[in-house]
């Protein structure tokens, strides 16, 4: 019985990580579209901010996919221990995206605090929100 090499194990782990990132990217994109649609329809800053959070999650997924692609665990002539540092660089990029999103959300919240806008409830947006809420509560 032969055991798989560490490079084979790392390669399999890399494929599993990529699969998870692709699925998460698709789900984050769907959640972003729903939150943005509902947030714009109802004028809800919190939903639009949450949509921004979802789009940064999607951007983070894309950045992670790029980092995982370039961080081959298998050694080559120039990288005798592999290229795992690309994952750390990708993590720094994700942290920068989160910082930018946090700044944008904080700026919008402070702006609304000092110049509040009256709620703009439109029948279409309210109907859409209530329908989504009822659908979500019955599907669980």
């Amino acid at each position: 019985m032969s055991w798989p090499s560490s490079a084979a194990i790392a390669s399999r782990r890399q494929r599993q990580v990529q699969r998870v990132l692709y699925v998460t990217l698709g789900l984050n994109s769907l959640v972003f579209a729903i939150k943005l649609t509902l947030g714009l329809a109802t004028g809800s800053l919190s939903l639009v901010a949450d949509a921004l959070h979802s789009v940064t999650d999607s951007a983070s997924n894309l950045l992670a996919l790029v980092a995982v692609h370039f961080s081959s665990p298998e050694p080559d002539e120039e990288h005798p221990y592999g290229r795992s540092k690309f994952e750390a660089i990708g993590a720094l990029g994700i942290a920068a995206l989160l910082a930018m999103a946090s700044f944008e959300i904080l700026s919008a919240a402070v702006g609304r605090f000092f110049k509040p806008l009256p709620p703009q409830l439109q029948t279409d947006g309210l109907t859409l929100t209530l329908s989504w809420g009822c659908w979500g509560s019955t599907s669980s």
Side-chain angles (χ1 to χ4, degrees), residues 37-102:
T37 301
L38 291 174
L40 293 175
T42 62
S44 170
L45 179 60
S46 61
L47 271 176
V48 173
D50 212 28
L52 178 60
H53 176 246
S54 294
V55 81
T56 58
D57 284 344
S58 297
S60 296
N61 288 133
L62 288 172
L63 186 56
L65 281 165
V66 169
V68 167
H69 174 75
F70 285 111
S71 67
S72 172
E74 299 169 9
D76 58 24
E77 295 86 30
E78 295 177 18
H79 305 90
Y81 299 104
R83 302 176 185 197
S84 61
K85 290 187 179 182
F86 275 101
E87 284 190 44
I89 293 170
L92 286 173
I94 291 169
L97 285 172
L98 291 173
M100 288 186 293
S102 297

